Amino acid sequence: MAVCLAASSAGIRLATPDGLGQGESGRATQTRDSAGLTPPAVENILITPRGVGPDTAEAQRAAADATRRMRALSEVDQVADPVPAPVGSALLVAVTMSGDARTADQRVTPLLDETSAVQDAFPALRIEQSGPASVQAGINEQLGSDFVKAETLSLPVTLLIMMVAFGAIIAAGVPVLLAFSSVGAAMGLWALVSQLVPDPGQVSNMILLMGMAVGVDYSLFYLKRERQERARGRNRIDAIEIAAATSGHSVVVSGIAVIVSMAALYLSNDLVFTSLATGSIIVVAVAVLGSLTVLPALLAKLGKGLDRPRVPILWRLTGRSGEPRLWPALLRPVLRFPALTFVLAVAALLAMALPALDLRLKSAEVDDYPQSIPAIAAYGRLTEAFPSKGTTHQVVVEAPASSADQVTATLAQLTTRVSQDDLFGAEQDPQSRSSADGTVHVVNVATRFATNSPEAEESVRKLREVIVPETIGRVPGAEVTVGGQVPNSLDYAANVEQKLPWVVGLVLLLTFLVMVVSFRSVVVGVVALVINTLSAGAAFGLLVLIFQREWAEDLLGFQSNGAIVSWIPLFLFVVLFGLSMDYHVFVVNSIREAARQGGDIRQAIATGISQSAGVVTSAAVVMVSVFAIFATLSFIEFKQLGLGLALAVLLDALIIRGVVLPSLMAMLGRANWWPSRIDVRSDPGEPVHEVDAPSVPVTTAR
């Protein structure tokens, strides 16, 4: 673990925009950059009056001061003359940064400091800075702040839940210790791996989310079993060995299930999914390794001190013996009327899932980011005063050098045409540029609509399907691509929709195979697919209701853009199927062990679910709590992911495992185990060898 933590000194390598592109917009970026036409990083200093009337002389003095300060910086290549807004009293000073535009966000701080100094010198004016570098720097800073917030909140919440589960402070701290050490070690390993698979910006938060969930979950199963064995009279070492052979085996199977599910994301051939899958696989593998090595050693070292100091009331509650009462009471009507409860539960889940039919995908753009970031708040005012500085598409043309004059002429026609179209606007700043060999040409096309608006998307479609073919598309041998933020969002969503069936199909296939191999039952495998799909569908439907509609905006602190972030549904689906295997295998195995005692299948279902309910409920509460913390973060994608996972786990632990699964199994009866059969014990009093999540059927010597 210490070596992994030390590896974090390598630093995380972030992905560049050209590595995130898909489809036509990705090809446009690659063509432009390969020709040496990557635009420099330009920062914009916006000067506007705070009062009712403009003070032109004061604004000019502020612009002169900003120009002087910026020209003195080594990070600045050139400063343009102040430009007045087409309408209104705003003044703009464009600052071109020196060096590689892809690393400009790492060097923009001196510019921001000078802008702040100008603001202090002219308090009667609003002087602010916005541009790709300052926006990215603000996003990075907010991501770091959010990470600290999530880490700070998850610690006391998880510790409190574990204290309720175990009734002792040391025992409660062990799962939290393992989870945080797993997250720290995974962060160090990810710093090394990111040198090969760059981080698009979400992986660190994902490692924290997954690491806290599975790390605590795995420790919980292990500790619960070790406690059970000690309560049965085993000595400390024997209890640890039995827990290692049973719950340790469960942890391995669960970890493999999550890792295999996450590996399906590699089919997407997308950097975001590849990096998220890799980060998740790393933290799950580290958590599994820690559960099998660090945790047993820690339990052996602590000995009786594990249950110290005891929390009086909680210790008595957790130490109560006897049969559970709550779950048998809840299951009684379910098992008495299985067909009715199954129909009602499935109908409710389908009703929740119905809004998912209206699921729309869209990448998170600058307009969707928190307005608390100064550069993003300034961006809104900048684009309002200077529409050409807002949403911009790039038309990239690759053609023989002999056609350079014709290409230049038709690009001029294209610029004229879009300036006369309401989808784009009269204020155009084409910034035409050509490669040294005259084979690649780039022109900017501005639209007056926000990046997350339907009009901006429609402008891309019209540019690609109508305007380009009727202008530059008529040049023989010219290959034209349209890139930019909005085109990339459309192309990215299209790629997700194209790869979604393949990834989902592979996850379903792997889930089915794991269940069939674990229980030697085709029916168990089919049931797992059906109920997990219902759970995921219901979670997606609730996600659409909350984030595509506007009624939860004030509650969760976001502004709906009418869509779900493109990478969320696919990643959410894969994570849900991986994590649900833990609960499902554990519960079904408990039911099977009860069925082996003979008697009525409904009694076996009641016994199996009641005996496993405590562990499943505790694990679910931990996951829901950790995931829900992410719904409080600043960025909409983390709100969607955290709330989606929390809702799915809640539905899975309560409705799926408490209603749908028992009612369905009650209707199927002995057919649950087809084509195998339950090995009923001749001696009902024969002890049951409990196993949390076996990968092969458990047999007992007769």
Side-chain angles (χ1 to χ4, degrees):
M1 293 288 183
V3 173
C4 296
L5 290 170
S8 61
S9 60
I12 295 176
R13 178 189 169 205
L14 296 176
T16 56
D18 55 342
L20 299 174
Q22 288 287 343
E24 182 178 333
S25 59
R27 295 194 303 274
T29 301
Q30 291 174 359
T31 301
R32 182 201 67 192
D33 293 349
S34 298
L37 296 177
T38 304
V42 177
E43 289 293 300
N44 301 286
I45 299 176
L46 181 66
I47 303 172
T48 52
R50 291 186 182 274
V52 178
D55 189 340
T56 305
E58 185 77 354
Q60 289 290 347
R61 286 193 293 271
D65 187 26
T67 299
R68 177 184 59 80
R69 291 174 180 271
M70 293 297 170
R71 284 177 176 166
L73 297 176
S74 60
E75 293 83 3
V76 172
D77 181 44
Q78 61 180 358
V79 182
D81 293 334
V83 177
V87 178
S89 54
L91 203 61
L92 177 67
V93 178
V95 180
T96 302
M97 295 185 64
S98 58
D100 190 347
R102 293 172 295 184
T103 60
D105 61 292
Q106 303 170 25
R107 296 175 281 106
V108 75
T109 301
L111 282 73
L112 293 169
D113 292 341
E114 292 300 337
T115 300
S116 178
V118 177
Q119 174 65 85
D120 293 340
F122 296 88
L125 302 171
R126 178 190 284 118
I127 301 172
E128 49 196 346
Q129 179 179 329
S130 182
S134 55
V135 166
Q136 188 60 55
I139 290 173
N140 292 341
E141 182 179 356
Q142 188 64 53
L143 282 172
S145 175
D146 281 357
F147 182 85
V148 172
K149 176 183 177 181
E151 193 175 39
T152 304
L153 288 176
S154 61
L155 175 60
V157 170
T158 306
L159 190 60
L160 179 62
I161 296 170
M162 290 295 96
M163 205 173 297
V164 173
F166 291 106
I169 295 177
I170 299 297
V174 168
V176 179
L177 175 63
L178 179 68
F180 268 93
S181 62
S182 298
V183 169
M187 288 291 187
L189 290 174
W190 173 242
L192 294 178
V193 175
S194 69
Q195 307 306 314
L196 300 176
V197 184
D199 188 343
Q202 303 98 336
V203 179
S204 294
N205 287 280
M206 196 57 53
I207 287 176
L208 175 62
L209 185 147
M210 292 289 292
M212 289 300 300
V214 300
V216 171
D217 202 17
Y218 296 161
S219 301
L220 179 64
F221 285 136
Y222 207 108
L223 283 171
K224 283 282 189 179
R225 186 52 186 265
E226 188 267 349
R227 265 190 159 193
Q228 289 174 1
E229 294 303 324
R230 283 195 290 115
R232 292 169 181 167
R234 309 275 189 182
N235 62 45
R236 183 182 64 199
I237 300 302
D238 287 345
I240 294 173
E241 288 179 349
I242 293 172
T246 54
S247 293
H249 187 260
S250 171
V251 167
V252 172
V253 174
S254 176
I256 291 174
V258 177
I259 288 172
V260 168
S261 295
M262 297 305 304
L265 287 174
Y266 291 128
L267 286 179
S268 65
N269 193 29
D270 174 78
L271 180 59
V272 172
F273 290 123
T274 298
S275 59
L276 289 173
T278 304
S280 299
I281 288 172
I282 290 173
V283 74
V284 171
V286 171
V288 169
L289 183 62
S291 299
L292 299 180
T293 57
V294 177
L295 184 57
L298 187 59
L299 294 181
K301 182 67 176 177
L302 289 172
K304 294 181 180 180
L306 180 66
D307 294 330
R308 299 285 192 272
R310 297 172 179 176
V311 182
I313 297 177
L314 295 178
W315 176 257
R316 287 196 294 271
L317 290 175
T318 59
R320 288 186 307 178
S321 59
E323 294 295 323
R325 298 178 181 179
L326 177 61
W327 274 97
L330 294 175
L331 288 170
R332 196 170 294 118
V334 174
L335 297 176
R336 187 177 180 183
F337 307 103
L340 178 61
T341 54
F342 178 79
V343 170
L344 291 176
V346 170
L349 290 171
L350 290 176
M352 294 181 200
L354 189 61
L357 297 176
D358 188 37
L359 177 68
R360 294 189 295 273
L361 302 180
K362 185 181 294 184
S363 296
E365 304 293 353
V366 64
D367 299 296
D368 302 313
Y369 293 146
Q371 292 297 309
S372 58
I373 298 175
I376 291 178
Y379 174 81
R381 288 184 281 270
L382 173 67
T383 55
E384 183 179 356
F386 297 87
S388 64
K389 297 293 182 182
T391 306
T392 303
H393 316 317
Q394 285 192 343
V395 179
V396 182
V397 184
E398 188 173 15
S402 58
S403 303
D405 291 341
Q406 188 178 3
V407 169
T408 302
T410 52
L411 284 176
Q413 295 174 9
L414 182 146
T415 301
T416 301
R417 181 163 174 177
V418 297
S419 66
Q420 299 169 351
D421 193 305
D422 291 339
L423 279 174
F424 299 95
E427 295 297 327
Q428 293 292 325
D429 183 17
Q431 300 180 15
S432 302
R433 50 199 187 277
S434 302
S435 61
D437 60 3
T439 59
V440 178
H441 309 262
V442 180
V443 65
N444 291 349
V445 175
T447 176
R448 58 191 181 90
F449 298 102
T451 55
N452 60 2
S453 65
E455 293 84 358
E457 295 182 358
E458 182 59 30
S459 71
V460 174
R461 297 187 184 96
K462 187 169 185 179
L463 187 61
R464 285 176 169 176
E465 299 170 8
V466 180
I467 298 177
V468 164
E470 293 179 358
T471 53
I472 189 65
R474 293 178 177 176
V475 176
E479 181 178 344
V480 187
T481 51
V482 177
Q485 287 186 352
V486 182
N488 182 69
S489 176
L490 293 173
D491 295 340
Y492 192 89
N495 179 66
V496 171
E497 293 173 0
Q498 180 185 3
K499 299 297 175 61
L500 182 64
W502 294 97
V503 176
V504 169
L506 181 59
V507 172
L508 294 176
L509 176 62
L510 294 174
T511 301
F512 178 75
L513 291 177
V514 169
M515 296 306 295
V516 170
V517 170
S518 297
F519 293 93
R520 293 181 182 176
S521 169
V522 173
V523 174
V524 170
V526 172
V527 168
L529 296 188
V530 171
I531 65 176
N532 288 340
T533 302
L534 280 172
S535 175
F540 286 160
L542 294 175
L543 206 61
V544 169
L545 279 177
I546 294 171
F547 288 100
Q548 282 190 195
R549 314 294 166 81
E550 300 179 356
W551 61 271
E553 287 183 332
D554 293 337
L555 178 64
L556 295 177
F558 73 96
Q559 183 174 355
S560 174
N561 64 358
I564 303 299
V565 177
S566 299
W567 61 271
I568 293 293
L570 186 55
F571 185 76
L572 183 64
F573 181 87
V574 170
V575 172
L576 289 180
F577 260 75
L579 295 179
S580 66
M581 290 296 294
D582 188 13
Y583 300 145
H584 189 71
V585 174
F586 180 58
V587 173
V588 173
N589 183 70
S590 296
I591 294 172
R592 184 177 63 173
E593 286 300 307
R596 281 178 169 164
Q597 298 290 344
D600 182 59
I601 184 65
R602 298 190 182 188
Q603 182 58 44
I605 294 170
T607 301
I609 292 180
S610 297
Q611 290 181 347
S612 61
V615 176
V616 170
T617 302
S618 298
V621 170
V622 170
M623 285 195 177
V624 169
S625 301
V626 172
F627 294 154
I629 288 173
F630 276 71
T632 68
L633 302 186
S634 304
F635 293 87
I636 191 169
E637 53 258 61
F638 293 119
K639 291 180 182 290
Q640 292 177 358
L641 180 66
L643 191 61
L645 287 172
L647 290 172
V649 171
L650 194 62
L651 291 172
D652 191 71
L654 297 179
I655 298 180
I656 296 296
R657 312 301 163 197
V659 180
V660 177
L661 179 63
S663 60
L664 181 56
M665 292 189 73
M667 289 189 292
L668 290 172
R670 295 291 172 179
N672 279 292
W673 321 112
W674 184 87
S676 62
R677 294 183 302 174
I678 286 293
D679 180 19
V680 180
R681 293 182 174 86
S682 57
D683 179 9
E686 185 179 357
V688 178
H689 297 284
E690 297 177 6
V691 180
D692 291 295
S695 60
V696 296
V698 177
T699 57
T700 305
R702 300 176 63 119

